[in-house]
Amino acid sequence: MNTPILYTFRRCPYCMRAHMALKNAGIKIELREIELSNMPQPLLAFSTTSTVPVLQISENEVIDESWDIVKWALSQHDPENWLGDAKTYLLDAEILIETNDYSFKLDLDHYKYADRHPEMTQEQYRINCEEFIEELEDMLSKHRYLLADKITLADIGVFPFVRQFSLVDKDWFEQSDYPKTRNWLQGLIDSVLFQQVFQKRPLWKTNDLSVYI
Ligand SMILES: N[C@@H](CCC(=O)N[C@@H](CS)C(=O)NCC(=O)O)C(=O)O
């Protein structure tokens, strides 16, 4: 098999989860850093959604959903047992990701871009987001990480979005009533894995030499 190609945008939370899972699995990839406003032709040609991340595994095989990339990476190699023995964490992780991707993300976008959604105040949008944050805080009062005392795929799937939430109003987040979530988030942000994935990289342009990582 050729080296898989990952099209990615550094600050995209979906890309972060996909890239972290690939790196954790030790899968060598060719990384193509793109701009959302200027998606390159090969990407538009095979992404059904015109979004990143996209992982091209072979000539005819593409995965264009970040969560599917996470699961594919773990199916190749799961050195830290993020799936758990007999995939025990998978179902709970999927349920959490569903809420994260389809409900929290919507509230988060409204909170982040409240000026574009004047139907409610930014505070109201933040309160909507807090429903999910409260759920996380509750989970983190039972374990060190969301599903267990160790990192699982749920943490990797969710934390890039909580990171975005925390950055909308840093001062508010710092004094908010979610100390466990803050602590959990900071630990993941400080992790070697995230820092490697979050490194700045030059943009990829068609015909550029490949950057393998
Ligand atoms: N369901 C997709 C969503 C990916 C997504 O929405 N990515 C954003 C970047 S964070 C994107 O590519 N947006 C395209 C655009 O803004 O033009 C996934 O999980 O991969």
Side-chain angles (χ1 to χ4, degrees), residues 1 27 120 137 199:
M1 187 184 81
I27 298 169
M120 283 193 222
E137 187 75 11
Q199 269 173 39

Side-chain angles (χ1 to χ4, degrees), residues 16-145:
M16 289 174 187
R17 63 157 72 134
H19 193 170
M20 285 175 83
L22 290 162
K23 192 156 207 48
N24 176 68
I27 298 169
K28 185 177 164 194
I29 51 170
E30 178 185 339
L31 196 82
R32 295 185 174 178
E33 179 76 32
I34 61 104
E35 283 174 316
L36 294 182
S37 54
N38 188 18
M39 293 212 184
Q41 197 45 48
L43 176 58
L44 292 173
F46 53 58
S47 161
T48 52
T49 53
S50 300
T51 58
V52 280
V54 168
L55 184 72
Q56 185 178 12
I57 301 173
S58 67
E59 199 87 338
N60 325 310
E61 235 183 320
V62 157
I63 311 180
D64 62 5
E65 283 291 334
S66 58
W67 189 241
D68 291 339
I69 298 174
V70 171
K71 288 189 287 185
W72 180 82
L74 293 175
S75 73
Q76 304 297 304
H77 194 37
D78 183 9
E80 292 179 11
N81 206 13
W82 285 0
L83 281 166
D85 296 334
K87 299 189 182 171
T88 26
Y89 302 129
L90 182 58
L91 185 61
D92 285 342
E94 303 255 42
I95 293 168
L96 203 62
I97 293 299
E98 181 93 6
T99 312
N100 180 81
D101 288 17
Y102 297 103
S103 164
F104 178 63
K105 177 65 166 81
L106 205 70
D107 292 332
L108 174 58
D109 284 347
H110 285 152
Y111 176 40
K112 226 174 129 181
Y113 305 112
D115 50 338
R116 298 183 203 163
H117 305 280
E119 309 82 85
M120 283 193 222
T121 63
Q122 189 183 35
E123 189 190 3
Q124 187 56 54
Y125 288 128
R126 193 197 68 224
I127 291 168
N128 292 348
C129 293
E130 283 181 71
E131 223 179 278
F132 186 61
I133 303 295
E134 275 164 28
E135 199 183 316
L136 301 185
E137 187 75 11
D138 190 43
M139 296 171 98
L140 292 165
S141 64
K142 299 188 181 102
H143 313 280
R144 245 183 97 206
Y145 291 92

Side-chain angles (χ1 to χ4, degrees), residues 154-185:
D155 301 287
I156 301 305
V158 165
F159 97 90
F161 298 83
V162 181
R163 177 179 167 276
Q164 276 200 344
F165 173 76
S166 76
L167 295 175
V168 178
D169 185 342
K170 278 189 194 173
D171 293 341
W172 177 85
F173 187 70
E174 280 312 313
Q175 58 73 56
S176 68
D177 216 7
Y178 307 111
K180 293 192 162 55
T181 305
R182 268 202 303 276
N183 198 33
W184 163 83
L185 176 64

